[in-house]
Amino acid sequence: MPDILLYALLGIYLLGMLFIFLYSLAQGQLLFSFLKARKSLLKTQKISPQEWPLVTVQLPVFNELYVAERLIDAVAKLNYPKEKLEIQILDDSTDQTVDLIREKLKDYPNIHFKYIHRQDRTGFKAGALREGLTVAKGEFIAIFDSDFIPDPDFLQKTIPFFHSDKIGMVQSRWTHLNEEYSLLTKLQAFALDAHFLIEQIGRNHQGAFINFNGTGGIWRKACILDAGNWHDDTLTEDLDLSYRAQKKGWKFIYRPEIESPAELPPIMSAIKSQQFRWTKGGAECAVKHAKSVLGQNLPFRIKFHAMAHLFNSSIFIAVLLVSLSSIGVWFLGEKEFLSSEWLRMAGLFLMGFVLIALVYLVSYFYGKRSFFRSLGEAIIYLPLFLSVSMGMALHNAQAVWEGLSGKKSPFIRTPKFNLESKKQTLKANRYLTFKTPITTWIEGVLSLVFLVMVFLAIQTGNYLFLPFHAMLAFGYGLVFISSFKSYALGKS
């Protein structure tokens, strides 16, 4: 019986590795597409309009004491004809943010700010955007979350790309206000840069589905309405609307040279809150859109990348299953039940991790001035990033499973800090109210389990999974310790 169980674990391991390998092929193809797209991006022509259109800027806000004033100051500096600009503050706040915003708006009597305060949060962010759209006067709708500082020339840079009536949305590239704050912010930037460079450019270049990233983008209002307006049945209303619009034939444009600076969550509890919403919402959108995308008359390549895009958060389930089942596979190897053919197959699947690592390395080197300095940093950050990503597998796999199975949960905001202003400390943030979940304690247990596997490998000389288990032990350990410390902040 134990041997049957071990072979069952081998089957789970191989299935998980197959999923990771297929995902890596999609990533590798996006990398190839990105490399081809770099020259064409420089040649793209934009046509400035003879008359600038009316634009509405929407700022969804909920209890943002630390960043609301900064956001208003930044948007007030937008370089656009004042008579053609309307700024909606969509405020769902239930604390002093309401009074703070109203007082701040007195500083800008000559700018067309429209303050909309809802008494309830029906539909959360999607509901606020939908309600604001009903009274928005603009032909185009720009959206910025509260942790962003828009480029003053954002509208002048993006509006010219709407040179065709078929273009429904233009997305800019997120950059990072506090990347250098800590190791966690550096690793987040490492991950996000790969999405905003390799994935977005790669998909857009080959005409595949891309997504509005929830902020730092601008929509044609007619596109939003034609696609059915904002829905609140998923936690990622941005990805949902993106697919509904593109399925109806609207074209999206991604411009990496237009930057939208934003704040990265500096502590693990905030990161986990954001990650849970993104991964669960992505899974919910996969359930909602996968079947209809496969049923459309689209090239196989487009459908393949759409499935990889919609189900990309499922990679965390695969990583969790592979990591746990690898313990049984190790014991199979220790009992000499594994032939050399099985080992060669495992080696083939490991090529998937090489492709994924290459995507992140290329995005990291993009735009860097010093190759040798960047190489040294990459040698440190890549294994750290991969370890922490695997250490997040349990937390994110739970979110994905809830999304795929249809379990509903409320929209939990990511607390903002405005740490670069040096005006407050982490302990002073009143929005850190997260409770330590049971998964955090399990992450600590998993760290110890894989640490034991490392010691067993060294003791027996069976090094089949030594690097993998060492990275898992470190990743789960770092996630556990940083989670525990950040949850403790909310209790202090």
Side-chain angles (χ1 to χ4, degrees):
M1 184 63 182
D3 292 345
I4 295 176
L5 178 60
L6 291 176
Y7 278 113
L9 290 174
L10 175 61
I12 294 172
Y13 173 82
L14 292 176
L15 285 174
M17 287 299 292
L18 177 61
F19 182 90
I20 295 171
F21 182 68
L22 293 174
Y23 172 78
S24 72
L25 291 180
Q27 293 295 96
Q29 208 279 327
L30 289 178
L31 176 59
F32 179 72
S33 182
F34 162 78
L35 295 174
K36 289 175 60 179
R38 287 184 304 166
K39 293 182 179 180
S40 62
L41 281 171
L42 298 175
K43 298 177 182 178
T44 300
Q45 298 293 320
K46 58 181 180 180
I47 304 172
S48 295
Q50 295 180 346
E51 182 178 353
W52 292 98
L54 183 60
V55 174
T56 296
V57 178
Q58 291 187 320
L59 310 175
V61 173
F62 174 66
N63 292 354
E64 302 293 3
L65 282 174
Y66 308 111
V67 294
E69 291 178 301
R70 183 184 69 181
L71 175 65
I72 292 171
D73 286 334
V75 175
K77 296 176 183 177
L78 285 173
N79 184 16
Y80 200 75
K82 299 301 182 214
E83 69 278 6
K84 297 294 183 74
L85 182 62
E86 173 190 52
I87 304 172
Q88 290 183 342
I89 300 181
L90 308 174
D91 186 15
D92 286 358
S93 296
T94 57
D95 66 1
Q96 298 96 316
T97 304
V98 175
D99 298 326
L100 183 148
I101 291 176
R102 285 174 171 160
E103 190 65 28
K104 184 65 179 178
L105 291 181
K106 294 178 182 179
D107 294 344
Y108 301 102
N110 299 322
I111 297 178
H112 187 192
F113 278 103
K114 186 168 185 178
Y115 180 72
I116 301 174
H117 181 237
R118 298 199 303 168
Q119 297 301 317
D120 63 79
R121 294 186 70 201
T122 301
F124 304 105
K125 179 181 175 181
L129 293 172
R130 187 171 58 237
E131 185 166 324
L133 196 66
T134 61
V135 294
K137 298 178 180 178
E139 179 186 351
F140 296 94
I141 311 293
I143 301 172
F144 289 99
D145 283 347
S146 58
D147 52 340
F148 276 69
I149 301 181
D151 178 353
D153 294 328
F154 176 85
L155 297 176
Q156 292 201 6
K157 291 176 179 178
T158 53
I159 289 294
F161 286 103
F162 289 95
H163 49 73
S164 167
D165 291 340
K166 295 181 180 179
I167 296 172
M169 192 277 298
V170 176
Q171 174 68 50
S172 67
R173 177 167 63 95
W174 294 5
T175 53
H176 319 295
L177 293 169
N178 59 335
E179 178 178 350
E180 299 299 321
Y181 179 79
S182 68
L183 176 62
L184 288 178
T185 56
K186 290 178 181 178
L187 294 180
Q188 288 176 82
F190 192 83
L192 286 171
D193 288 346
H195 168 69
F196 281 101
L197 287 169
I198 309 301
E199 294 181 350
Q200 287 285 61
I201 293 176
R203 292 190 184 109
N204 202 207
H205 177 70
Q206 58 185 301
F209 287 84
I210 69 168
N211 61 293
F212 168 59
N213 292 106
T215 175
I218 180 168
W219 288 80
R220 189 185 296 274
K221 183 179 179 181
C223 173
I224 298 176
L225 296 175
D226 181 59
N229 213 324
W230 298 100
H231 291 183
D232 54 38
D233 55 348
T234 75
L235 293 180
T236 47
E237 71 290 325
D238 45 6
L239 179 61
D240 172 41
L241 181 60
S242 297
Y243 266 77
R244 284 189 280 119
Q246 289 169 103
K247 285 191 294 184
K248 296 203 70 172
W250 290 94
K251 303 300 180 184
F252 286 6
I253 291 178
Y254 176 72
R255 299 307 307 180
E257 79 282 5
I258 305 175
E259 299 180 356
S260 293
E263 177 183 295
L264 295 164
I267 58 175
M268 186 57 75
S269 59
I271 295 171
K272 281 186 169 181
S273 171
Q274 186 181 73
Q275 287 282 309
F276 192 92
R277 189 173 69 250
W278 286 354
T279 51
K280 181 174 180 176
E284 290 174 329
C285 286
V287 173
K288 185 174 180 178
H289 295 290
K291 184 178 179 180
S292 60
V293 169
L294 290 174
Q296 285 196 302
N297 184 22
L298 296 169
F300 171 79
R301 169 178 47 83
I302 302 299
K303 292 182 179 181
F304 174 68
H305 279 291
M307 293 303 103
H309 187 194
L310 288 169
F311 287 97
N312 63 0
S313 59
S314 299
I315 193 75
F316 290 105
I317 292 181
V319 169
L320 181 63
L321 291 177
V322 164
S323 60
L324 294 176
S325 60
S326 68
I327 297 173
V329 178
W330 183 89
F331 279 105
L332 279 175
E334 181 64 16
K335 291 186 174 184
E336 298 183 349
F337 287 175
L338 277 180
S339 65
S340 58
E341 286 77 12
W342 286 110
L343 294 176
R344 281 195 293 269
M345 184 181 296
L348 175 64
F349 284 152
L350 287 175
M351 289 297 296
F353 286 101
V354 175
L355 279 174
I356 293 172
L358 191 59
V359 167
Y360 288 99
L361 284 176
V362 172
S363 70
Y364 186 76
F365 282 110
Y366 184 84
K368 294 290 191 299
R369 293 182 179 180
S370 172
F371 173 80
F372 291 105
R373 178 182 176 183
S374 300
L375 178 62
E377 292 174 344
I379 291 173
I380 297 173
Y381 291 146
L382 180 62
L384 281 175
F385 165 73
L386 292 175
S387 296
V388 173
S389 295
M390 290 189 290
M392 290 285 289
L394 175 65
H395 174 270
N396 287 349
Q398 178 190 357
V400 175
W401 181 252
E402 288 187 8
L404 294 176
S405 62
K407 181 179 179 180
K408 295 299 180 182
S409 58
F411 185 102
I412 304 297
R413 64 183 289 279
T414 303
K416 315 301 189 304
F417 298 85
N418 195 7
L419 292 175
E420 70 276 2
S421 71
K422 309 298 182 183
K423 291 182 179 180
Q424 62 137 332
T425 63
L426 290 174
K427 291 184 178 180
N429 193 300
R430 65 177 64 189
Y431 300 130
L432 294 178
T433 58
F434 300 114
K435 296 181 179 179
T436 307
I438 186 64
T439 50
T440 296
W441 298 104
I442 298 175
E443 286 162 352
V445 172
L446 288 175
S447 176
L448 294 176
V449 168
F450 288 111
L451 188 61
V452 169
M453 293 305 301
V454 169
F455 286 132
L456 284 176
I458 295 173
Q459 184 179 16
T460 61
N462 181 359
Y463 304 126
L464 178 60
F465 291 109
L466 179 59
F468 184 46
H469 287 166
M471 292 175 71
L472 285 164
F474 177 80
Y476 275 117
L478 182 60
V479 169
F480 167 71
I481 293 171
S482 54
S483 296
F484 189 79
K485 289 171 60 178
S486 64
Y487 288 126
L489 283 173
K491 301 173 184 178
S492 61

